[in-house]
Amino acid sequence: MISFASLFVGLVFGIVNVQLVATAEVHRVELFLDGSRVAELSAPFATPVDLGCDPAPHELVAVARDA
């Protein structure tokens, strides 16, 4: 299981730091922004993500994978 530790409130754009919290079973996490993979992470599960220059709605999805 994973959870977003980062909280984005209001209009967010530019480069943001994304942090996730994962249980011990999680080996890696894939991050998808608007359907495109933007990162593959191992512990610690954190990375900068570029949301672009203009404020716009985005979907950020994290998928946990075990070994």
Side-chain angles (χ1 to χ4, degrees):
M1 179 189 268
I2 56 174
S3 302
F4 282 94
S6 301
L7 180 62
F8 305 112
V9 178
L11 294 176
V12 180
F13 56 96
I15 298 173
V16 297
N17 290 316
V18 176
Q19 294 182 326
L20 299 129
V21 177
T23 58
E25 297 83 16
V26 176
H27 180 70
R28 65 185 171 92
V29 173
E30 293 176 292
L31 275 181
F32 294 87
L33 180 63
D34 299 331
S36 297
R37 190 168 84 170
V38 293
E40 184 173 326
L41 309 170
S42 57
F45 302 108
T47 189
V49 173
D50 188 354
L51 298 178
C53 296
D54 298 319
H58 292 287
E59 179 182 45
L60 185 62
V61 176
V63 178
R65 306 283 186 197
D66 63 10

